[in-house]
Each structure stands twice: as structure tokens, then as C-alpha cells.
Amino acid sequence: NKLAKESKAVKNANVILPPDLITNMQKEYNVEEAINKIEITIANTHIFGNGSIELTKDGEHQVQKLLALIAPYKEQIILGVQGFADSTSVLQKEDRWWKNNLELSVLRAISVQRNLVNKGFPREQIFVAGYDTGLRRKVVDKTLKDNKLAGLRTVTFRIEKR
């Protein structure tokens, strides 16, 4: 019927990544779909160390795995990298010039952006954002037993149509 065809056409117009890819991603990542965007959060791993802007080895591995999944679509998407910090206050040290968790979050997003660009993702298709714990969204991973705050030190990838 005509209404069903129109509904399907509208739904397909909002497809950013293939549905089977999203289904596979949901097995390993926290994936939220909305109109015109998909947000993917890497969970169950330590992406960053406490107070660090450098990806851990596991964090870099996870980012590269996700990049491999979305790379075939890189000409069709814009990628947002949203950095987050935990609720621990930033300790001032000589080798750290960020003053608070908001600055730390932005620098984490920039660190991931650089990693993606070095691996071939177009810089002009990446935007970055950082969030203070006051703006923290539901990315807490309660399965991290050794350090529950580590689940807050993460990034969310926001994928939109280009």
C-alpha cells in the first residue's frame, strides 16, 4: 500500500549505516539510534587512564576496531568524537596543563580525533566535543569491577549523514 511504501522510504532516508552492521555493533558497543544519528560508546574497557589524554593500548585497539567497521562509509558520514571524564577532580601536576574535567574531556576527544586522522579518516569530517561530569550522560559501565570510574573515562562516537 502507498502509506507503507512512503513509511519505508522515510525510514530508508534516515539510514546512516546498514542495519546488519548496527546489529553487529550492538553486540560489542552501546549503540543508540535516533533520527539522523547513531551514537556508539565503547564500554567494558579502560579507554583512558586516570587524568590521561592518551588512549590506553586497549582503548586504541577498541577505537581501531570501530574505525574498521565504519571506514567503508567514511565518505558518507560525519563523525563526532565526544570525550568524557569521570567525577574525580583533576590534580594539578607540572606535566598537565588542563585545569578541569571539561578541558580534560575535550583533550581526550582531540586525542581520539588525531588517532582517527592518522589512520586515514578525513579530518574535515570529524568534530569534537567534551563534557564535564555535570553534563554526563548514561555511559556509566557498571561491569568494570576494578575501577567503576574508568567507565566514565570514555568517548562516544556520533555518526551523522554527510
Side-chain angles (χ1 to χ4, degrees):
N1 92 28
K2 185 179 176 181
L3 185 58
K5 285 181 183 178
E6 287 176 2
S7 177
K8 187 175 181 180
V10 169
K11 186 175 182 179
N12 288 339
N14 288 326
V15 172
I16 298 168
L17 297 174
D20 58 328
L21 176 60
I22 294 170
T23 300
N24 286 335
M25 288 178 164
Q26 289 171 332
K27 295 174 186 172
E28 196 162 346
Y29 306 106
N30 293 332
V31 179
E32 291 187 32
E33 292 182 82
I35 296 175
N36 298 322
K37 71 176 180 179
I38 300 168
E39 289 192 351
I40 302 167
T41 302
I42 299 172
N44 301 324
T45 191
H46 292 83
I47 302 293
F48 299 98
N50 188 17
S52 175
I53 62 171
E54 299 300 322
L55 286 164
T56 62
K57 286 183 182 183
D58 191 33
E60 186 168 346
H61 173 74
Q62 293 296 326
V63 168
Q64 296 315 310
K65 273 178 44 178
L66 183 59
L67 179 60
L69 294 172
I70 63 172
Y73 310 97
K74 70 181 178 184
E75 298 302 321
Q76 302 159 23
I77 61 174
I78 295 172
L79 184 62
V81 179
Q82 303 170 334
F84 295 94
D86 61 32
S87 59
T88 306
S89 296
V90 171
L91 299 175
Q92 294 302 309
K93 293 185 177 180
E94 240 176 77
D95 62 337
R96 294 184 188 160
W97 49 271
W98 52 90
K99 293 181 178 26
N100 56 48
N101 280 342
L102 179 58
E103 290 180 8
L104 176 59
S105 296
V106 171
L107 291 170
R108 285 178 171 166
I110 291 169
S111 176
V112 172
Q113 177 202 35
R114 287 181 181 153
N115 185 288
L116 294 168
V117 169
N118 289 340
K119 301 295 185 199
F121 202 94
R123 180 185 311 272
E124 63 277 1
Q125 289 172 230
I126 303 173
F127 65 90
V128 297
Y131 296 92
D132 200 339
T133 53
L135 298 174
R136 185 71 186 140
R137 297 175 309 169
K138 57 219 165 288
V139 187
V140 179
D141 179 19
K142 294 179 177 32
T143 63
L144 288 171
K145 294 177 177 58
D146 59 334
N147 187 351
K148 290 183 181 181
L149 293 177
L152 296 170
R153 293 181 221 127
T154 192
V155 292
T156 294
F157 297 89
R158 180 177 174 156
I159 301 173
E160 301 175 2
K161 273 189 173 181
R162 185 168 181 208

